[in-house]
């Protein structure tokens, strides 16, 4: 059975693997603090259905409580260990089955196995504060092995810790022009792709949210990371098929094991 991946903007993807539907870092907002959604419609309500939702880390553009609250009752929600303590509003989501996880954990949802893998990123909710949680990536193993990197920098053991995968959903930008440590830009994402060597890659985490006023100052940096990743991936990982999706667009992958 094919695996279908739909990109809804930023780090939000839907992974349909067999009968199991997975959402990554659900964010269904037109506005978030100083950010505005500049491109792509917010996922419609039917597209927000999930058997399990994966939260990679505690930053508000990845752990967005109002978006999580809109998930259907009974959905599993995997969050970094310590998230309910750092984000008390999570405790009010009594309609969801919340599970705290760390790298190395495995969670089975139907016929899909979800492996929790490390990420190199600041896992705190706020820039300062006592509560820390690990930043995570996830590998969804069913009809295919799909790696959702969350937000991460490039680290030496990435390929070893992630393991063999068929599809890689890699961040290639952000919500502003400046990416510090613990992030992949288009160049670092292409280098990660060369190490991971999946069959297919989909660039995410770019071209969706942008600070107010920044569109006038640096408009090209909003959408450029996707094209730059395609170009660099062709140089560094030419054996990998790269699919740059539009918002709400899907791609299917057939895997024969």
């Amino acid at each position: 059975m094919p695996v279908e991946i739909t990109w809804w903007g930023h780090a939000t993807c839907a992974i349909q693997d067999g009968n199991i539907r997975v959402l990554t870092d659900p964010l269904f907002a037109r506005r978030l603090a100083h950010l505005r959604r500049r491109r792509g419609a917010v996922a419609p309500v039917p597209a927000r259905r999930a058997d399990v939702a994966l939260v990679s880390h505690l930053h508000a553009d990845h752990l967005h409580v109002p978006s999580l609250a809109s998930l259907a009752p009974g959905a599993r929600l995997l969050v970094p260990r310590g998230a309910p303590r750092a984000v008390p509003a999570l405790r009010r989501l009594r309609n969801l089955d919340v599970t705290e996880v760390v790298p190395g954990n495995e969670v089975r949802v139907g016929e899909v196995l979800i492996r929790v893998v490390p990420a190199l990123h600041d896992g705190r909710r706020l820039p300062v504060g006592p509560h820390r949680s690990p930043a995570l990536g996830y590998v969804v193993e069913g009809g295919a092995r799909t790696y959702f990197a969350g937000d991460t920098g490039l680290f030496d053991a990435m390929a070893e810790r992630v393991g063999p995968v068929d599809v890689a959903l890699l961040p290639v930008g952000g919500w502003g022009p400046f990416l510090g440590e613990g992030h992949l830009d288009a160049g670092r994402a292409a280098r990660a792709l060369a190490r991971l060597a999946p069959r297919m890659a989909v660039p995410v985490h770019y071209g969706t949210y942008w600070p107010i006023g920044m569109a006038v100052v640096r408009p090209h940096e909003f959408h450029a990371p996707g094209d730059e990743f395609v170009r660099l991936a062709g140089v560094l990982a030419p054996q990998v098929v790269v699919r740059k999706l539009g918002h709400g667009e899907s791609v299917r992958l057939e895997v024969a094991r």
Side-chain angles (χ1 to χ4, degrees):
M1 184 176 294
V3 172
E4 183 176 84
I5 296 165
T6 305
W7 182 50
W8 287 108
H10 205 54
T12 304
C13 296
I15 304 167
Q16 185 72 46
D17 193 315
N19 295 319
I20 301 300
R21 183 174 173 84
V22 182
L23 284 179
T24 65
D25 287 348
L27 181 57
F28 310 129
R30 297 186 182 281
R31 173 179 176 175
L32 181 64
H34 64 298
L35 305 179
R36 297 292 185 277
R37 191 176 182 108
R38 284 193 53 217
R39 183 174 293 180
V42 173
V45 172
R48 304 180 193 183
R49 181 185 65 80
D51 298 291
V52 58
L54 312 177
V55 171
S56 63
H57 62 288
L58 305 191
H59 293 168
D61 57 323
H62 293 259
L63 195 168
H64 186 246
V65 175
S67 295
L68 296 176
S70 72
L71 298 178
R76 294 286 298 274
L77 176 62
L78 306 189
V79 299
R81 180 177 291 173
R85 179 182 61 174
V87 187
L90 274 175
R91 301 172 189 169
R92 297 198 293 270
L93 301 180
R94 302 184 187 280
N95 60 323
L96 303 180
D97 181 3
V98 180
T99 302
E100 300 179 51
V101 294
V102 295
N105 287 166
E106 296 182 346
V107 178
R108 182 163 290 281
V109 180
E111 66 267 32
V112 164
L113 179 70
I114 298 172
R115 293 194 295 110
V116 186
V117 299
L120 180 64
H121 193 68
D122 186 347
R124 294 173 293 182
R125 179 68 166 181
L126 299 172
V128 295
H131 300 310
R132 289 181 175 270
S133 291
L136 308 173
Y138 297 91
V139 179
V140 179
E141 296 189 354
R145 295 165 298 196
T146 303
Y147 171 46
F148 169 61
D151 239 355
T152 186
L154 186 63
F155 56 96
D156 291 340
M158 176 179 278
E160 176 185 350
R161 298 299 300 274
V162 171
V165 292
D166 301 298
V167 186
L169 311 178
L170 295 178
V172 301
W175 49 256
F178 304 109
L179 294 174
E181 292 296 323
H183 295 85
L184 294 180
D185 59 11
R188 291 191 288 269
R191 289 164 56 197
L193 189 63
R195 297 183 185 185
L196 295 166
R199 288 180 54 189
M200 179 184 292
V202 177
V204 301
H205 204 272
Y206 78 102
T208 307
Y209 294 94
W210 210 238
I212 297 171
M214 191 64 71
V216 176
V217 180
R218 310 174 79 113
H220 64 288
E221 295 187 9
F222 175 70
H223 53 76
D227 291 331
E228 183 68 358
F229 174 71
V230 172
R231 183 183 72 81
L232 293 173
V235 175
L236 298 178
Q239 76 283 9
V240 181
V241 175
V242 178
R243 289 295 306 269
K244 185 171 77 73
L245 302 177
H247 294 79
E249 187 177 358
S250 302
V251 62
R252 287 190 173 197
L253 178 69
E254 296 274 1
V255 178
R257 299 218 185 274

